[in-house]
């Protein structure tokens, strides 16, 4: 039975994570001795490109009712496509969309499900095994899934998507799209910067900033870098910053290429959401701050001195 991957789109464009997911699906299919198909829902263009990342088939259900995400409707549609395509393993991203589909799909398909995996599965003695981080990323657990059908959600930035094939023709599929039980009246999208879960560059700050009136330092640096801003939880709790910027165990979990932490102590609950970042830079005046243990680069210094100098240097470098 083949592997079916949901390639997420936003405003008709493929998210960066879609290519990673398809490549993960391809590698999973190879481990299972089968092939990988990608599924695109709603309005989207350029789906042929998914073939480059390893999809041998691309299915498109283009019904515009699917432009608006509804987990019940998506579950019904994906389950039908899985049946038509003969797919036994479904892979979704560990995004807010994917998280809300995983359990529903598992129930609908009577499948074993593993959320937040970050490694390509192996089939060992006929048993499907897949790894995921546990205890806030401090350890890994390997799950064995013995059911025929499986549903996995993949953590973002788990692997680098690679081109392994060429574009494939997109096959239009017609399935029954049920009417949603909930009607969305209005969607307000955040203007400007890349949303945190998708951001490659993140500038984040904590209580060391002393107050919201100093956030222009963070904004200026982020602006120069084209980065997204984030914060520690007490900062959001104190209303210095909006809650959607709060990263950590109880906030958004991110995996950017670069995470700059300014005036953040590095409590375990904060690290839980950021310690999978590729490169971590810490700016803190306390050389004993726990964050330095998780840092790739550290600057011991007063942020009110270091951050404006860093911003100036980037400005000069770009000029
Ligand atoms: P502080 O711990 O007060 O650290 C401020 C840092 O700034 C210090 O290291 C200090 O040396 C430095 N500093 C001060 N002045 C300067 C200066 N001028 N220049 C340079 N450095 C300076 N926290 C999260 O962030 N995310 C979560 O999701 C989260 N979830 C939690 C869940 C639970 C159940 C609990 C109990 C806690 C949670 N917390 C979370 C809170 C967490 O334990 C810490 O309290 C919090 O992360 C600390 O935030 P902070 O680093 O901004 O502040």
């Amino acid at each position: 039975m083949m592997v079916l991957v949901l390639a997420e789109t936003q405003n008709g464009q493929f998210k960066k994570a879609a290519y990673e997911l398809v490549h993960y699906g391809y590698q999973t299919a190879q481990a299972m001795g089968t092939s990988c198909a990608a599924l695109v829902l709603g309005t989207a263009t350029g789906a042929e490109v998914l073939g480059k990342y390893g999809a041998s088939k691309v299915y498109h259900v283009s019904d515009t009712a699917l432009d608006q995400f509804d987990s019940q409707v998506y579950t019904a549609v994906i389950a039908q496509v899985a049946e038509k395509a003969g797919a036994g393993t479904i892979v979704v991203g560990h995004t807010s969309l994917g998280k809300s589909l995983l359990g529903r799909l598992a129930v609908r398909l009577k499948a074993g499900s593993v959320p937040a995996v970050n490694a390509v599965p192996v089939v060992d003695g006929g048993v499907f095994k897949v790894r995921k981080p546990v205890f806030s990323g401090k350890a890994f657990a390997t799950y064995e899934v013995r059911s025929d059908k499986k549903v996995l959600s993949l953590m973002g930035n788990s692997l680098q998507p690679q081109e392994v094939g060429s574009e494939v023709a997109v096959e239009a599929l017609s399935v029954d799209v049920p009417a949603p039980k909930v009607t969305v009246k209005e969607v307000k999208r955040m203007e400007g910067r890349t949303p945190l879960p998708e951001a490659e560059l993140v500038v984040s700050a904590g209580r060391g900033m002393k107050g919201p009136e100093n956030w222009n330092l963070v904004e200026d640096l982020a602006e120069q870098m084209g980065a997204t801003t984030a914060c520690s939880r007490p900062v959001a709790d104190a209303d210095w910053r909006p809650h959607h910027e709060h990263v950590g165990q109880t906030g958004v979990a991110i995996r950017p290429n670069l995470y700059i932490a300014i005036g953040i102590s590095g409590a375990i609950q904060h690290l839980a959401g950021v310690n999978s970042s590729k490169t971590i830079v810490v700016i803190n005046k306390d050389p004993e701050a726990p964050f330095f243990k998780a840092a790739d680069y550290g600057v011991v210094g007063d942020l009110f001195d270091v951050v404006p100098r860093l911003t100036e240097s980037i400005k000069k470098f770009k000029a």
Side-chain angles (χ1 to χ4, degrees), residues 5 22 26 42 65 74-75 78 92 105 129 148 151 187-188 192 224 237 239 288-290 309:
V5 173
V22 171
Y26 163 78
Y74 266 47
T75 301
I78 296 168
V92 296
L105 281 169
K129 297 180 180 178
D148 283 347
V151 187
V187 177
K188 283 190 177 171
Q224 283 306 316
D237 285 345
D239 276 341
E288 301 299 324
R309 283 166 56 193

Side-chain angles (χ1 to χ4, degrees), residues 205-210 231-235 237 246-252 262-273 283-287 289-291 299 301-305:
R207 250 191 322 216
M209 293 298 298
K210 312 287 186 235
C231 68
S232 67
R233 177 172 155 170
V235 160
D237 285 345
H246 146 206
V247 287
Q249 184 183 316
T250 47
V252 187
I262 302 168
I264 301 177
S265 56
I268 185 161
Q269 297 89 354
H270 184 86
L271 292 177
I283 301 170
N284 198 304
K285 69 176 183 185
D286 174 8
F291 220 148
V299 181
D302 186 334
L303 69 89
F304 294 99
D305 171 39

Side-chain angles (χ1 to χ4, degrees), residues 87-228:
T89 301
I90 318 273
V91 183
V92 296
H94 197 66
T95 56
S96 49
L97 184 147
K99 283 185 220 172
S100 67
L101 288 173
L102 187 88
R104 288 179 192 278
L105 281 169
V107 171
R108 179 73 67 111
L109 300 169
K110 296 189 172 49
S113 72
V114 188
V117 300
N118 73 343
V120 176
V122 291
V123 179
D124 181 9
V127 180
F128 180 97
K129 297 180 180 178
V130 65
R131 192 187 75 173
K132 61 168 286 182
V134 291
F135 299 118
S136 301
K138 291 247 170 275
F140 294 104
T142 299
Y143 283 59
E144 291 184 1
V145 188
R146 290 174 184 269
S147 54
D148 283 347
K149 294 194 173 164
K150 302 156 188 69
V151 187
L152 311 174
S153 67
L154 175 71
M155 295 278 279
N157 285 331
S158 291
L159 77 165
Q160 196 63 36
Q162 280 165 25
E163 294 192 11
V164 289
S166 50
E167 293 191 353
V168 289
V170 177
E171 191 176 322
L173 272 193
S174 168
V175 299
D176 175 32
V177 179
K181 291 188 179 132
V182 176
T183 310
V184 177
K185 293 283 186 198
E186 189 188 8
V187 177
K188 283 190 177 171
R189 297 207 184 276
M190 302 281 300
E191 295 296 327
R193 299 197 175 120
T194 313
L196 264 179
E198 294 267 307
E200 300 279 12
L201 306 172
V202 175
V203 175
S204 184
R207 250 191 322 216
M209 293 298 298
K210 312 287 186 235
E213 65 280 6
N214 296 321
W215 233 264
N216 61 312
L217 297 181
V218 180
E219 292 284 355
D220 288 351
L221 178 58
E223 183 71 36
Q224 283 306 316
M225 293 172 57
T228 299

